C-alpha cells in the first residue's frame, strides 16, 4: 500500500459511503416489508420519519460518489511518478487488475444513485408515496454495488506496490497494440467516429426536443441518451482526444483532466454524466405516469429532465466542436 | 428555479442569525474544526512543497550515476569503468566525480566536499558538464530558466584553497581569506585558504558545500590516482536509460547504475509516506473531533428544541429543518475549512512551518535556510476536504435528522416552560 494522503482520503470516502448505504439499505428493507400508509402504528410512523433520513443520506452519497469519482482519477494521476512506465492515470489504473473495474463500477454507482434521487424526488411530490417500495427496492439493489466498489477500491490501493512496470497511456490506448478494449476503441477510424458522434448527438437532441414539445417517444429518447453517452466516451478516446492533445497518437481519456488542457475534461465529463443521468431518469419515471397521484407531477418532471439532458449534450458538443475548431491538428 | 433560490436564501439567513444567537457554543466548535483543518493542511502543504523542491533540484543532477559495489558496499570506481561505459551506444558523456563528506568535530557539522571537474579534460562532454553550475530553479522566476548562480571551474580554485558554501561560513563564522584547517586521513593537519563564499541564493544545494582541488581532495582522504567516487553518465535519448543501465550491469557486473527517476521516485515515496504517516497519527484527532461534533449536534439545548418545535408548529416541514441543518453545517464547515487552509498556508510558506519542520524535513547542523515555493493544488484541497468536511458532515446527518423529526408538542413540552 502507498501511504499517500489522497489514497487515505479515497479509502475514507469509500468506507463512509458504503457504511451509509448499508445503514440506509437496512432500513430500506424494513420499509419494503412493513410499509403500510393506511396504518397508524408506531412502526409506520418511525418508518415515515426514516424516509427523511434515508433521502438525506442518499443525497450525500450521490454527491460523494461524484466527487470521489474525480478524486479517484486525480489520485491515479498524481501517483503515476511512482510507477515505471506510467505517465498518467491510464498507466496507474493498470498497476493491478482492480483499477479499471473500480472505476467502471464507480461510474455505474453514480448513475444508479442519480436515478434513485430522481425517483425519490418524484415520489416526494405525491401525497401518498406511490413509489416507496420500488425506490427502496432499488436502494437494496444499489447497496451491493457500492459495497463492491469499496472492496475493489480497497483492493486496488492496498495491492499497489510502487515501481511495478505498467503500460503507460501511450501503449494502452495506442492503435499499434491489437489486444484489449482500449486499443480497439483507439483503432476506430477517427473520421467515422466523428460522424457517428455528431449523428448520434443530433438524433438525441432532436428526439429530446420532440419529446419536450409533444411528450411522445420518451423511451426512444432515453435509450438514445444512454447510447449517445457510450458513443461519446468512445469518441473521446478515438478522436476528440486527438484534437485536444493535437497529437495523432495520443488517445488517453484521462489527460484531458490535466492543467495542460485547461481542465476541459471536467466540463466534458460533468456534462456527459449529467446528460446520462437526466436522460436515463426519463425512462425510469415514464412507467409511473399513470399513477393517480403522480399524473401531474411526472409529465412536468420528465420534460425538465429531457430538457436538462438536451442542454447538457449541447454543451458537451459545443465544447468539443470548439476544441476541434481551434485545434492545430489537421486530419 | 428562482423560487428555489429564494427559499435557500431565506433559510441561510435564518440559519446565520440562529448561529449567531448561540455564539459561545459555535465558536468552540469552529475553533476546534479550524485547528483540525489547519494541522492536516500544514502537513499536506509542507510535504508537497518539499517534494516539489526535491524534484526541482534533482532536475539538475545527472541522468544516471554509476557506482561500484564491493561486498555489497559502495567503493571507489576505477577509471577503466569510464571507457567501458563510454563504449555503450547511446551514451553521450561519462565523467568521473570526486566527492565525499567530511565531519568537523568542533562544530558537529558534516561538510560535502566536491572537486569541480577540470576545465580541459572533459571538453568532449558537451556543454554544462565542464564546470560546476547551480542553476536558478526555473519555476521561481517568470523568465523561465535563470542563469547559473555560481559557476566555477577547477582551475579557479587552485591547490591550497577552497570555496565554501554560505552555511559553512555561517557555522564557522569564517570569511574570505581566512584559513580553514582539515585533518587528513593520516592525522596530518592541512590548512586551506578560503578563496570565496558561494552566494546564499543557492543555499538549498550549496549550504554545506566545499569546493576543493583534486590534488587536495586526494591528499585529504588518501585516495590513489585512477580512482573516482562515482561516474555521472549523460544519455542522448532518455527513453534508452533503462536499456543502457542493463547493458552497464552486464558489462560491469560489480557496477550499480542509478537512474535519476529512481531517486525522484524514492524521494516521492519517502515524503508521501511521511505525510501519510502524520495523517494516520492525526486521524485519531480527527476521530475525536468527529465524536465531539456528533455530540454537539445531538445534544440539543432546551432553547434549540423549543425553536425547532415552534418552527414545526408554524408549518415548517421536517425536510425544511434538515435543509436548515444542512446550511448550518455548510456555513460552519466552509468557515472552518477556509480559515484553516489560509492559516496553514501562512504557517507553511511564511513562518517556515515552525510546528512540523523537525518531523517532516529531517535535521542537520548545516541545514539550509530556505523558503518553500508556495504551491497549492486542487488535488490537495480536495483531499483535505475529504479528510475533514466529509467526516464532519456524515457525523451530523443523523443528529440533524433526529432534531428535525421531533414532534412539535413534545419539543415544546420538554422545555417545561
Amino acid at each position: 500500500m502507498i501511504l499517500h494522503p489522497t489514497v487515505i482520503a479515497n479509502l475514507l470516502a469509500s468506507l463512509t459511503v458504503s457504511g451509509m448505504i448499508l445503514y440506509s439499505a437496512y432500513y430500506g428493507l424494513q420499509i419494503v416489508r412493513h410499509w403500510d400508509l393506511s396504518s397508524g402504528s408506531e412502526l409506520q410512523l418511525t418508518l415515515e420519519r426514516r424516509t427523511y433520513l434515508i433521502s438525506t443520506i442518499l443525497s450525500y452519497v450521490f454527491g460523494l460518489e461524484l466527487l470521489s469519482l474525480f478524486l479517484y482519477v486525480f489520485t491515479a494521476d498524481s501517483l503515476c511518478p511512482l510507477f515505471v512506465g506510467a505517465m498518467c492515470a491510464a498507466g496507474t489504473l493498470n498497476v493491478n487488475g482492480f483499477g479499471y473495474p473500480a472505476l467502471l463500477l464507480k461510474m455505474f454507482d453514480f448513475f444508479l444513485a442519480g436515478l434513485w434521487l430522481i425517483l425519490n424526488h418524484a415520489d416526494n411530490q405525491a401525497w401518498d408515496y406511490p413509489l416507496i417500495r420500488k425506490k427502496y427496492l432499488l436502494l437494496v439493489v444499489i447497496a451491493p454495488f457500492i459495497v463492491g466498489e469499496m472492496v475493489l477500491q480497497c483492493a486496488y490501493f492496498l495491492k499497489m506496490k510502487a515501481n511495478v512496470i505498467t503500460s503507460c497511456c501511450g501503449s494502452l490506448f495506442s492503435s499499434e497494440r491489437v489486444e484489449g478494449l482500449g486499443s480497439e476503441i483507439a483503432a476506430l477510424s477517427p473520421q467515422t467516429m466523428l460522424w457517428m458522434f455528431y449523428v448520434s448527438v443530433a438524433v438525441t437532441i432532436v428526439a429530446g426536443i420532440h419529446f419536450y414539445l409533444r411528450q411522445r417517444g420518451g423511451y426512444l429518447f432515453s435509450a438514445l441518451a444512454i447510447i449517445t453517452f457510450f458513443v461519446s466516451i468512445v469518441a473521446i478516446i478515438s478522436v476528440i482526444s486527438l484534437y485536444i492533445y493535437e497529437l495523432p497518437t495520443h488517445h488517453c481519456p484521462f489527460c484531458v483532466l490535466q492543467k495542460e488542457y485547461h481542465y476541459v475534461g471536467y466540463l466534458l465529463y460533468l456534462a456527459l454524466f449529467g446528460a446520462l443521468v437526466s436522460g436515463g431518469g426519463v425512462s425510469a419515471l415514464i412507467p409511473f405516469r399513470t399513477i393517480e397521484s403522480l399524473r401531474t407531477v411526472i409529465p412536468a418532471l420528465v420534460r425538465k429532465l429531457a430538457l436538462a439532458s438536451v442542454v447538457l449534450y449541447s454543451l458537451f458538443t459545443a465544447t468539443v466542436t470548439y476544441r476541434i475548431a481551434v485545434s492545430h491538428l489537421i486530419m | 428555479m428562482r423560487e428555489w433560490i429564494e427559499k435557500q436564501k431565506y433559510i441561510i439567513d435564518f440559519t446565520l442569525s440562529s448561529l449567531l444567537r448561540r455564539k459561545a457554543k459555535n465558536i468552540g466548535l469552529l475553533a476546534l474544526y479550524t485547528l483540525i483543518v489547519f494541522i492536516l493542511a500544514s502537513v499536506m502543504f509542507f510535504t508537497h512543497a518539499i517534494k516539489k523542491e526535491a524534484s526541482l533540484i534533482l532536475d539538475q543532477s545527472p541522468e544516471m550515476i554509476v557506482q561500484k559495489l564491493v561486498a555489497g558496499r559502495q567503493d571507489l570506481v576505477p577509471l577503466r569503468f569510464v571507457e567501458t561505459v563510454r563504449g555503450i551506444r547511446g551514451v553521450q558523456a561519462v565523467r568521473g566525480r570526486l566527492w565525499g563528506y567530511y565531519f568537523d568535530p568542533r562544530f558537529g557539522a558534516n561538510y560535502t566536499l566536491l572537486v569541480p571537474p577540470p576545465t580541459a579534460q572533459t571538453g568532449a562532454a558537451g556543454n554544462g558538464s565542464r564546470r560546476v553550475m547551480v542553476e536558478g530553479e526555473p519555476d521561481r522566476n517568470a523568465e523561465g530558466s535563470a542563469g547559473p548562480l555560481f559557476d566555477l571551474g577547477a582551475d579557479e580554485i587552485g591547490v591550497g584553497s577552497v570555496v565554501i558554501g554560505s552555511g559553512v561560513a555561517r557555522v564557522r563564522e569564517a570569511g574570505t581569506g581566512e584559513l580553514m584547517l582539515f585533518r587528513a586521513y593520516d592525522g596530518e593537519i592541512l590548512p586551506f585558504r578560503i578563496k570565496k563564499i558561494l552566494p546564499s541564493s543557492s543555499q538549498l544545494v550549496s549550504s554545506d558545500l566545499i569546493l576543493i582541488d583534486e590534488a587536495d581532495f586526494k591528499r585529504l582522504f588518501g585516495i590513489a590516482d585512477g580512482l573516482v567516487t562515482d561516474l555521472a553518465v549523460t544519455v542522448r535519448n532518455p527513453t534508452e536509460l533503462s536499456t543502457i543501465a542493463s547493458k552497464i550491469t552486464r558489462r560491469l557486473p560489480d557496477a550499480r547504475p542509478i537512474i535519476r527517476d529512481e531517486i525522484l521516485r524514492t524521494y516521492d515515496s519517502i515524503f508521501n509516506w511521511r505525510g501519510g504517516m502524520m495523517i494516520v497519527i492525526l486521524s485519531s484527532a480527527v476521530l475525536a473531533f468527529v465524536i465531539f461534533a456528533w455530540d454537539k449536534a445531538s445534544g440539543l439545548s432546551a432553547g434549540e428544541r423549543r425553536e425547532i418545535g415552534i418552527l414545526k408548529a408554524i408549518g415548517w416541514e421536517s425536510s425544511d429543518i434538515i435543509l436548515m441543518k444542512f446550511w448550518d453545517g455548510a456555513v460552519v464547515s466552509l468557515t472552518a475549512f477556509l480559515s484553516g487552509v489560509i492559516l496553514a498556508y501562512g504557517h507553511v510558506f511564511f513562518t517556515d512551518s515552525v510546528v512540523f519542520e523537525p518531523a517532516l524535513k529531517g535535521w542537520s547542523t548545516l541545514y539550509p535556510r530556505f523558503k518553500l515555493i508556495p504551491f497549492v493544488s486542487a488535488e490537495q484541497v480536495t483531499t483535505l476536504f475529504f479528510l475533514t468536511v466529509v467526516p464532519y458532515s456524515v457525523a451530523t446527518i443523523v443528529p440533524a435528522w433526529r432534531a428535525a423529526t421531533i414532534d412539535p408538542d413534545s419539543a415544546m413540552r420538554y422545555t417545561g416552560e
Side-chain angles (χ1 to χ4, degrees):
Chain A
M1 184 195 174
I2 291 169
L3 205 58
H4 188 284
T6 320
V7 172
I8 297 173
N10 266 295
L11 293 178
L12 183 73
S14 65
L15 286 173
T16 319
V17 166
S18 320
M20 289 201 292
I21 205 85
L22 283 178
Y23 179 86
S24 27
Y26 171 72
Y27 288 107
L29 259 182
Q30 285 199 344
I31 290 175
V32 171
R33 283 167 59 196
H34 303 297
W35 185 266
D36 178 11
L37 197 61
S38 56
S39 152
S41 69
E42 201 178 332
L43 179 66
Q44 171 65 17
L45 276 178
T46 325
L47 290 181
E48 274 177 36
R49 283 186 183 164
R50 285 272 169 213
T51 57
Y52 285 104
L53 177 62
I54 294 177
S55 58
T56 315
I57 289 181
L58 257 286
S59 324
Y60 273 86
V61 165
F62 181 73
L64 277 180
E65 276 290 328
L66 180 63
L67 269 175
S68 75
L69 181 64
F70 285 113
L71 185 73
Y72 184 65
V73 177
F74 235 18
T75 314
D77 223 27
S78 68
L79 289 181
C80 72
L82 297 178
F83 304 101
V84 179
M87 277 148 66
C88 70
T92 317
L93 288 175
N94 215 26
V95 166
N96 58 42
F98 300 105
Y100 277 104
L103 179 72
L104 292 179
L105 204 53
K106 253 181 184 312
M107 288 168 24
F108 185 61
D109 288 345
F110 170 74
F111 177 65
L112 286 181
L115 282 191
W116 195 88
L117 283 182
I118 289 173
L119 272 185
N120 183 48
H121 181 73
D123 192 39
N124 284 349
Q125 311 265 311
W127 53 271
D128 60 346
Y129 299 108
L131 303 179
I132 193 126
R133 273 174 211 279
K134 293 185 183 67
K135 78 181 182 195
Y136 283 104
L137 212 56
L138 177 62
L139 181 61
V140 174
V141 173
I142 293 178
F145 284 106
I146 291 195
V147 174
E149 174 204 318
M150 187 264 289
V151 171
L152 280 181
Q153 201 178 321
C154 287
Y156 172 61
F157 283 122
L158 295 180
K159 294 215 162 185
M160 213 178 225
K161 279 200 197 80
N163 297 344
V164 180
I165 294 189
T166 67
S167 45
C168 78
C169 54
S171 69
L172 191 62
F173 291 96
S174 125
S175 38
E176 281 169 22
R177 224 179 67 172
V178 274
E179 49 198 308
L181 189 63
S183 32
E184 304 253 307
I185 294 172
L188 294 169
S189 147
Q191 259 80 15
T192 326
M193 206 49 237
L194 204 58
W195 274 109
M196 266 178 76
F197 166 67
Y198 275 112
V199 167
S200 70
V201 167
V203 171
T204 309
I205 290 178
V206 168
I209 293 172
H210 175 77
F211 175 70
Y212 183 73
L213 296 175
R214 303 273 161 78
Q215 302 192 26
R216 270 202 306 253
Y219 285 120
L220 177 69
F221 164 68
S222 201
L224 281 172
I226 293 171
I227 293 170
T228 304
F229 173 79
F230 290 108
V231 172
S232 305
I233 292 281
V234 173
I236 286 179
I237 295 174
S238 87
V239 55
I240 295 168
S241 57
L242 304 185
Y243 279 107
I244 293 177
Y245 306 134
E246 302 183 344
L247 202 67
T249 50
H250 197 24
H251 287 283
C252 180
F254 303 110
C255 291
V256 279
L257 295 169
Q258 287 178 1
K259 191 175 79 188
E260 290 86 334
Y261 311 106
H262 312 293
Y263 301 112
V264 68
Y266 287 98
L267 181 65
L268 294 180
Y269 287 123
L270 277 180
L272 212 49
F273 284 126
L276 170 73
V277 171
S278 45
V282 170
S283 61
L285 284 181
I286 289 180
F288 308 119
R289 64 181 157 187
T290 46
I291 293 173
E292 189 54 43
S293 54
L294 289 173
R295 208 175 274 281
T296 53
V297 175
I298 284 194
L301 189 58
V302 288
R303 281 183 72 200
K304 265 193 211 159
L305 286 174
L307 187 65
S309 187
V310 165
V311 167
L312 287 171
Y313 269 129
S314 313
L315 175 69
F316 177 76
T317 316
T319 316
V320 166
T321 313
Y322 171 74
R323 289 304 298 224
I324 293 179
V326 298
S327 173
H328 294 287
L329 181 76
I330 297 163
M331 283 204 289
Chain B
M1 194 66 188
R2 226 192 137 77
E3 209 178 301
W4 184 83
I5 292 173
E6 287 297 315
K7 183 179 169 185
Q8 308 298 318
K9 266 165 69 184
Y10 288 128
I11 289 185
I12 294 173
D13 193 36
F14 183 87
T15 311
L16 281 177
S17 56
S18 141
L19 276 174
L20 289 176
R21 251 179 281 136
R22 278 181 283 277
K23 269 198 203 95
K25 179 184 172 183
N26 291 315
I27 284 177
L29 177 72
L30 202 64
L32 200 60
Y33 201 158
T34 310
L35 184 69
I36 290 282
V37 176
F38 165 75
I39 293 174
L40 290 180
S42 297
V43 171
M44 286 181 54
F45 289 167
F46 188 81
T47 42
H48 200 97
I50 205 145
K51 241 161 57 182
K52 193 122 183 136
E53 200 86 7
S55 73
L56 281 175
I57 290 168
L58 280 172
D59 264 357
Q60 329 257 326
S61 70
E63 289 159 315
M64 192 195 294
I65 293 168
V66 180
Q67 300 173 336
K68 188 189 170 204
L69 289 186
V70 174
R73 308 284 296 174
Q74 194 193 337
D75 199 31
L76 296 174
V77 181
L79 278 174
R80 64 176 169 88
F81 272 41
V82 176
E83 288 316 309
T84 318
V85 174
R86 195 174 282 150
I88 294 169
R89 197 165 298 170
V91 173
Q92 196 173 14
V94 185
R95 182 166 61 79
R97 303 193 304 175
L98 271 172
W99 62 276
Y101 299 118
Y102 177 87
F103 182 69
D104 188 341
R106 240 187 90 205
F107 298 96
N110 243 323
Y111 308 139
T112 305
L113 268 67
L114 172 75
V115 177
T119 341
Q121 178 213 326
T122 40
N127 51 358
S129 57
R130 293 208 330 255
R131 301 161 84 79
V132 176
M133 274 202 278
V134 172
E135 306 219 338
E137 283 143 20
D139 282 9
R140 280 219 165 137
N141 59 24
E143 300 296 309
S145 98
L149 293 173
F150 67 88
D151 180 356
L152 274 171
D155 330 341
E156 290 160 52
I157 296 172
V159 179
S161 48
V162 288
V163 171
I164 63 175
S166 52
V168 183
R170 194 173 66 223
V171 166
R172 300 188 62 124
E173 294 174 358
T176 319
E178 290 176 27
L179 277 182
M180 235 177 134
L181 298 180
F182 285 86
R183 197 184 162 88
Y185 74 104
D186 52 3
E188 192 188 337
I189 305 292
L190 301 174
F192 292 109
R193 189 165 298 284
I194 299 170
K195 192 168 184 183
K196 200 174 160 190
I197 295 171
L198 295 168
S200 55
S201 47
S202 61
Q203 264 206 30
L204 196 53
V205 261
S206 68
S207 175
D208 65 341
L209 189 68
I210 295 181
L211 298 176
I212 189 170
D213 187 78
E214 185 177 341
D216 287 339
F217 185 85
K218 289 185 170 168
R219 171 76 194 89
L220 191 60
F221 295 113
I223 294 172
D225 276 340
L227 289 173
V228 288
T229 315
D230 54 19
L231 306 180
V233 181
T234 320
V235 172
R236 202 176 297 275
N237 182 354
T239 53
E240 286 177 351
L241 271 169
S242 53
T243 320
I244 289 171
S246 67
K247 276 188 185 169
I248 291 176
T249 42
R250 220 173 304 142
R251 290 189 195 182
L252 300 164
D254 54 346
R256 173 170 69 173
I258 299 170
I259 300 171
R260 184 175 58 200
D261 281 356
E262 289 175 342
I263 306 176
L264 261 174
R265 204 173 302 134
T266 313
Y267 269 112
D268 244 30
S269 306
I270 288 173
F271 286 118
N272 282 344
W273 185 81
R274 283 185 181 179
M277 208 60 202
M278 282 290 272
I279 282 174
V280 169
I281 292 167
L282 290 174
S283 65
S284 53
V286 175
L287 192 67
F289 165 70
V290 164
I291 293 170
F292 174 76
W294 170 291
D295 197 50
K296 275 260 176 194
S298 37
L300 288 182
S301 68
E304 279 172 291
R305 284 183 77 93
R306 196 179 51 188
E307 186 179 303
I308 291 170
I310 294 173
L311 286 176
K312 291 193 82 170
I314 59 170
W316 281 46
E317 280 186 36
S318 299
S319 54
D320 295 329
I321 309 269
I322 291 181
L323 198 62
M324 184 183 91
K325 289 280 171 192
F326 164 76
W327 281 119
D328 182 329
V331 167
V332 172
S333 291
L334 270 184
T335 316
F337 188 72
L338 292 179
S339 36
V341 167
I342 292 168
L343 282 176
Y345 189 91
H347 171 226
V348 171
F349 299 117
F350 300 134
T351 70
D352 295 335
S353 29
V354 276
V355 185
F356 301 118
E357 208 180 8
L360 292 172
K361 199 156 73 176
W363 59 271
S364 155
T365 313
L366 281 184
Y367 216 90
R369 290 188 190 143
F370 62 93
K371 286 250 180 272
L372 291 168
I373 309 169
F375 180 80
V376 176
S377 66
E379 183 206 336
Q380 289 172 289
V381 177
T382 325
T383 306
L384 209 54
F385 183 84
F386 267 90
L387 291 176
T388 54
V389 177
V390 169
Y392 173 80
S393 335
V394 171
T396 47
I397 292 179
V398 175
W401 165 76
R402 286 240 167 84
T405 47
I406 342 175
D407 283 329
D409 69 316
S410 75
M412 282 189 276
R413 203 178 304 143
Y414 187 81
T415 61
E417 288 172 34

